[in-house]
Amino acid sequence: MAGKPKLHYTKGRGKMESIRWLLAAAGVEFEEEFIETKEDLEKLRNDGVLLFQQVPMVEIDGMRMVQTRAILSYIAAKYNLYGKDLKERAWIDMYVEGTTDLMGMIMYLPFQPADTKEKNLALIIERATTRYFPVYEKALKDHGQDYLVGNKLSWADVHLLEAILMAEECKPDVLSAFPVLQAFKGRISNIPTIKKFLQPGSQRKPPTDEKFVAVVRKIFSI
């Protein structure tokens, strides 16, 4: 039997967090090897295990996978979270790309200069409430089903819940105008594997703080 997937990344959210979410939602146990110093990263690079010299990197099924999108789509397909046909997969991809754009804005906020943070936070809230969340609200309302695609849990649902929770960390009442998304959040949060991941003590990482920003800057020389 193959061992557990092993995740190589810093001890924070970043680009690895969506991978942790998807594995957890699929009920897959995984191990983590944290990159805590610049030397840890250099060792991986020098060992030749990073295809493009970058992390995240996931060891799974005898592969050393890099590139977040490639890792996520592999996990989604492997654990039946990627739709039943090409059309469903295309919709899942579109929804995921939207939430990825929003999460990217939130992810980089702590790394921005203090004098631009307020402006960028306002932009995140504006984009979430006028560009992204209305799409998901309408999709769920129009087809009247519990999930975004094919009335079955998919990568798109897991990603959307992660994005919602990240946006709520920026503004707790960000969903106030989206009753369908509020109900969606409640439903998806209560799926047993996801509920477990949302409990204290899981491998979910806390929001990025200044201390972690300093660690990341040191490791990646930014």
Side-chain angles (χ1 to χ4, degrees):
M1 183 179 155
K4 295 175 187 174
K6 186 185 274 190
L7 282 48
H8 297 262
Y9 201 65
T10 55
K11 204 172 188 174
R13 287 186 183 175
K15 292 188 173 184
M16 186 64 92
E17 191 69 356
S18 291
I19 297 166
R20 296 182 186 109
W21 264 89
L22 199 56
L23 285 167
V28 179
E29 291 185 6
F30 57 87
E31 297 172 350
E32 299 191 78
E33 193 155 306
F34 295 116
I35 296 166
E36 299 187 76
T37 64
K38 196 171 180 176
E39 289 69 36
D40 291 341
L41 180 62
E42 285 307 315
K43 185 179 187 312
L44 282 175
R45 286 174 171 163
N46 294 335
D47 288 350
V49 298
L50 301 177
L51 195 61
F52 300 110
Q53 308 288 307
Q54 294 168 311
V55 288
M57 189 265 279
V58 175
E59 294 184 65
I60 184 169
D61 295 343
M63 295 185 288
R64 288 187 175 119
M65 291 196 75
V66 295
Q67 297 296 343
T68 312
R69 171 81 204 197
I71 298 165
L72 284 164
S73 55
Y74 181 82
I75 293 165
K78 179 179 171 76
Y79 295 105
N80 201 22
L81 294 166
Y82 210 176
K84 69 177 189 301
D85 56 31
L86 270 177
K87 277 192 177 177
E88 285 196 358
R89 189 166 287 203
W91 277 105
I92 289 166
D93 283 342
M94 284 192 280
Y95 288 143
V96 163
E97 289 297 333
T99 38
T100 299
D101 290 345
L102 176 60
M103 288 195 286
M105 293 173 73
I106 299 170
M107 196 187 303
Y108 291 117
L109 187 66
F111 293 88
Q112 291 165 355
D115 57 346
T116 64
K117 265 186 193 166
E118 207 170 305
K119 189 176 130 191
N120 287 316
L121 179 59
L123 179 63
I124 287 166
I125 303 307
E126 190 262 330
R127 287 277 168 85
T129 53
T130 65
R131 180 178 294 189
Y132 296 109
F133 290 164
V135 169
Y136 305 107
E137 179 86 359
K138 185 176 186 303
L140 289 162
K141 196 174 179 179
D142 285 355
H143 63 46
Q145 294 173 335
D146 286 350
Y147 305 103
L148 282 168
V149 180
N151 204 24
K152 180 179 180 295
L153 182 71
S154 76
W155 173 20
D157 301 303
V158 179
H159 222 240
L160 176 55
L161 178 61
E162 184 187 0
I164 286 170
L165 296 181
M166 285 175 75
E168 285 184 334
E169 287 169 354
C170 296
K171 188 174 191 285
D173 66 347
V174 73
L175 285 189
S176 58
F178 303 100
V180 178
L181 280 183
Q182 289 174 38
F184 169 87
K185 174 193 160 188
R187 275 196 310 278
I188 306 301
S189 295
N190 275 302
I191 291 168
T193 52
I194 293 174
K195 191 174 184 177
K196 186 180 173 188
F197 188 62
L198 291 172
Q199 300 304 310
S202 79
Q203 286 165 293
R204 185 181 179 215
K205 302 297 178 273
T208 300
D209 59 16
E210 285 181 18
K211 191 177 170 188
F212 182 66
V213 167
V215 170
V216 169
R217 288 192 188 282
K218 207 168 179 183
I219 292 170
F220 294 98
S221 305
I222 53 175

